[in-house]
Amino acid sequence: MHEDTTAGHEDTTPVLVVGAGLVGLSTSLFLSWHGVRHLLVERHAGTSIHPRAWGLYPRTLELLDAVGVTDALLTEAAGFAGHTLNGKVESLAGPEISVTRIPEPEDVGDISPVTRILSLSQDRIEPILLRRARELGADVRFGTELRDPVQDADGVTATLRDRETGAERRVRARYLIAADGARGSVREHLGIARQGRGTIRHQISIVFRADLHGPLRGRRFAVCRIANPLVDGVLGHDDTLRRGTLIITHDPHTDPVTAYTPERCTELVRAAVGVPGLPVTVLSTLPWEMAALVAERYAEGRVFLVGDAAHVIPPVGGYGANTGIQDAHNLAWKLAAVLRGQAGEALLGSYDAERRPVGRATVRQAALRLAARTGKGGGPDDAAVADTLSVMFGYRYRSAAVIADEEEQDRAAPDFADPRTLSGAPGTRVPHLWLGAGDGRTVSTLSLVDRRPLLMAGAKAAEWCDAARAVARRTGIDLDVVRLGDDVTERERSWHDATGVTETGAVLIRPDGFVAWRSTAAQPSPEGVLEDVLNHVLARDES
């Protein structure tokens, strides 16, 4: 991007988001929840009709629950409750090669207030996120293409083109978020390279409509592998049993995408279902690459990459969408704090410092799982495979937005820790505990975290609470304060043990639920200590 001094822009917005896929819509939703005015543009006419990503883990649902969409998602997913078979068949109507039942998900009630995995596809999730974002005031424009983004010291200028009418408008934004996917133009426009194994294989997804009741014979598959002379791929079906997706591998050099005409796709679907002459309507085909890539940086000036624009994760383990949504959540609260004047702009530098190592480590985990699944594992790297809960819950941030304990500052830590061993260390997600609220409700420690940082103090730490309120009044920093025994009470587990502080200690929790700092006990001059901590974590001392 080159400097631009053009004046007279027709639209202005604090944040411009490009791409209304799962991550772009999540970005819009989180920004809306924080009250950040923004514009989201998407070149396609509406949300995706392709299932693409499937399933959200409890950590992701924690974030979405806070903004008010979990109930709607669970309702939408109710029809998939019985889709529990993992099968390999010659065709749906043909012989079974092997069919097993997927084990029940591990109980995570001891580490999260959200105790289940959401089994739902991207095409069904996106409309729910869109509806909620608009309820919260998001300006979302489909059929709108971003062109010629140019940034200078104060913002980004771009042209927005209406793909239906050809009309163009100029827009000026303070920040640009690229959620435009693995093939998006913003990253390439910035000249940001990607590192990693690269393309593993080329895939085509065929979305179709057909009556699958008969061939399914009462079965409901979560995963169904097709293996016959015409089709070697994966067939998925929805809860209506009238819509499916066939995913196959192809070689673009010998078998180009253009060869997949509606007629050929119809025959492939019929072969996969095992019913010659089956009435099939091909709704769409989508070529895509299974790849392992991470951008060399997640930010360039006032432009930020999220989701597949930042990292392409092999679809093994279901990490891609979950990691992207967590990217968006991390960035949204920081942008909100900067735009409200609560934080210095240097806080935004912690987005790359925190999320890129997570993205890199998650790509590696997916690649290790893929190697094991394809029989190419068995080497020393197998010992490095982390369980799914550790990947989703157990990562740790090291950045200027975290003040590490002195004994932890130079200690090497694993990429992913068992979430049941997390103990309130700065840079980790605050442990989940059920607490009693003053109105008789039972709330999670995570539910106490809202749009502002939260100081949570021990049962005998009134000095920390008084200091926090005094600092907030004097500096104008928005800060929530909760004291154990006064505002909330313990239920089963000890809050002090879980967070690693005494009754006179305190923990500062960021709006994303991660511990920014803790003091294991009382300290002299707590007001001065807290002011220094907040100025450091929010980069106010660098403004």
Side-chain angles (χ1 to χ4, degrees):
M1 292 185 177
H2 303 288
E3 185 173 355
D4 180 273
T5 57
T6 304
H9 311 290
E10 296 183 46
D11 288 325
T12 60
T13 183
V15 181
L16 175 62
V17 184
V18 184
L22 198 56
V23 174
L25 288 168
S26 297
T27 303
S28 177
L29 178 53
F30 295 139
L31 289 172
S32 298
W33 186 70
H34 278 286
V36 175
R37 186 171 64 87
H38 64 282
L39 171 61
L40 170 61
V41 298
E42 166 59 53
R43 64 187 300 273
H44 292 100
T47 56
S48 177
I49 68 168
H50 283 267
R52 296 192 186 185
W54 191 290
L56 299 178
Y57 286 116
R59 173 56 184 159
T60 307
L61 291 176
E62 289 175 1
L63 309 181
L64 295 175
D65 186 57
V67 298
V69 295
T70 300
D71 288 346
L73 291 171
L74 293 176
T75 298
E76 185 70 15
F80 291 95
H83 293 221
T84 58
L85 297 181
N86 182 354
K88 183 175 182 180
V89 301
E90 290 186 11
S91 67
L92 281 188
E96 295 180 352
I97 300 170
S98 64
V99 175
T100 59
R101 190 170 297 276
I102 294 176
E104 286 292 320
E106 182 178 354
D107 183 4
V108 296
D110 58 336
I111 60 175
S112 176
V114 179
T115 59
R116 59 169 293 176
I117 293 173
L118 181 81
S119 182
L120 192 64
S121 56
Q122 179 171 342
D123 59 313
R124 304 275 286 271
I125 296 172
E126 286 185 0
I128 294 172
L129 302 185
L130 173 62
R131 182 167 62 248
R132 180 59 175 156
R134 281 177 164 163
E135 288 174 356
L136 294 174
D139 183 355
V140 183
R141 304 180 192 177
F142 288 97
T144 304
E145 189 173 30
L146 177 82
R147 289 186 169 185
D148 305 320
V150 178
Q151 72 168 312
D152 53 49
D154 300 314
V156 180
T157 304
T159 298
L160 302 181
R161 178 179 179 272
D162 186 307
R163 299 189 71 198
E164 181 177 351
T165 66
E168 294 186 348
R169 295 179 65 85
R170 300 280 279 172
V171 63
R172 175 73 172 173
R174 286 185 61 181
Y175 302 100
L176 171 66
I177 301 176
D180 53 348
R183 297 183 177 182
S185 61
V186 175
R187 180 191 58 78
E188 291 188 358
H189 195 76
L190 289 166
I192 298 177
R194 296 183 293 187
Q195 297 177 335
R197 178 177 172 182
T199 300
I200 298 170
R201 64 179 68 129
H202 295 268
Q203 310 275 104
I204 292 180
S205 293
I206 304 167
V207 177
F208 64 91
R209 187 166 52 241
D211 188 350
L212 303 177
H213 285 82
L216 280 168
R217 306 195 300 275
R219 300 164 300 175
R220 301 293 183 269
F221 287 97
V223 180
C224 185
R225 174 76 182 272
I226 306 295
N228 64 51
L230 290 179
V231 177
D232 182 2
V234 176
L235 179 65
H237 62 84
D238 74 353
D239 51 349
T240 70
L241 311 187
R242 296 184 181 278
R243 190 180 177 105
T245 303
L246 177 62
I247 303 173
I248 58 174
T249 301
H250 78 113
D251 184 336
H253 300 293
T254 60
D255 189 22
V257 171
T258 53
Y260 286 83
T261 63
E263 295 75 19
R264 183 181 178 190
C265 291
T266 296
E267 291 308 310
L268 289 171
V269 169
R270 286 171 176 164
V273 176
V275 179
L278 176 73
V280 174
T281 301
V282 175
L283 301 175
S284 180
T285 58
L286 176 71
W288 55 282
E289 295 177 3
M290 181 186 293
L293 291 163
V294 182
E296 290 184 342
R297 54 191 182 280
Y298 280 18
E300 177 75 26
R302 292 176 171 269
V303 184
F304 303 90
L305 310 180
V306 295
D308 285 356
H311 45 70
V312 184
I313 303 176
V316 181
Y319 297 142
N322 289 274
T323 303
I325 292 172
Q326 292 173 35
D327 291 340
H329 191 267
N330 181 287
L331 180 58
W333 79 263
K334 294 172 181 177
L335 280 170
V338 171
L339 289 166
R340 288 199 310 267
Q342 292 286 301
E345 198 159 34
L347 174 65
L348 300 177
S350 67
Y351 170 68
D352 175 84
E354 293 180 352
R355 292 306 300 172
R356 186 157 52 91
V358 172
R360 188 168 55 240
T362 305
V363 167
R364 179 169 180 261
Q365 285 296 319
L368 289 173
R369 284 175 173 263
L370 179 62
R373 177 177 293 185
T374 56
K376 297 179 180 179
D381 277 348
D382 282 3
V385 177
D387 66 88
T388 298
L389 291 181
S390 296
V391 175
M392 287 291 101
F393 284 100
Y395 52 85
R396 182 171 187 166
Y397 292 147
R398 296 180 181 271
S399 76
V402 172
I403 301 176
D405 295 339
E406 288 187 9
E407 65 273 17
E408 296 284 344
Q409 288 180 357
D410 298 320
R411 182 182 300 175
D415 291 333
F416 303 105
D418 181 342
R420 292 182 173 88
T421 67
L422 298 181
S423 57
T428 63
R429 170 183 159 278
V430 67
H432 156 65
L433 284 82
W434 289 117
L435 301 169
D439 56 4
R441 293 179 300 118
T442 298
V443 298
S444 168
T445 45
L446 290 150
S447 303
L448 298 174
V449 183
D450 198 64
R451 297 169 178 85
R452 299 166 292 279
L454 166 69
L455 183 85
M456 192 164 180
K460 298 180 181 179
E463 292 84 358
W464 283 120
C465 297
D466 293 341
R469 296 185 182 101
V471 170
R473 284 193 301 269
R474 187 174 64 257
T475 64
I477 296 174
D478 293 332
L479 182 65
D480 290 330
V481 181
V482 172
R483 181 183 169 194
L484 191 70
D486 187 6
D487 302 300
V488 294
T489 57
E490 293 176 337
R491 284 294 192 234
E492 298 177 355
R493 297 172 58 199
S494 164
W495 177 83
H496 299 98
D497 291 345
T499 55
V501 302
T502 67
E503 291 183 322
T504 60
V507 175
L508 181 66
I509 307 170
R510 311 186 323 182
D512 57 0
F514 276 71
V515 177
W517 163 89
R518 69 178 172 184
S519 178
T520 58
Q523 291 190 37
S525 307
E527 192 172 321
V529 170
L530 266 182
E531 184 169 358
D532 288 345
V533 165
L534 287 164
N535 283 337
H536 181 89
V537 169
L538 297 175
R540 291 168 64 92
D541 48 5
E542 300 181 41
S543 300

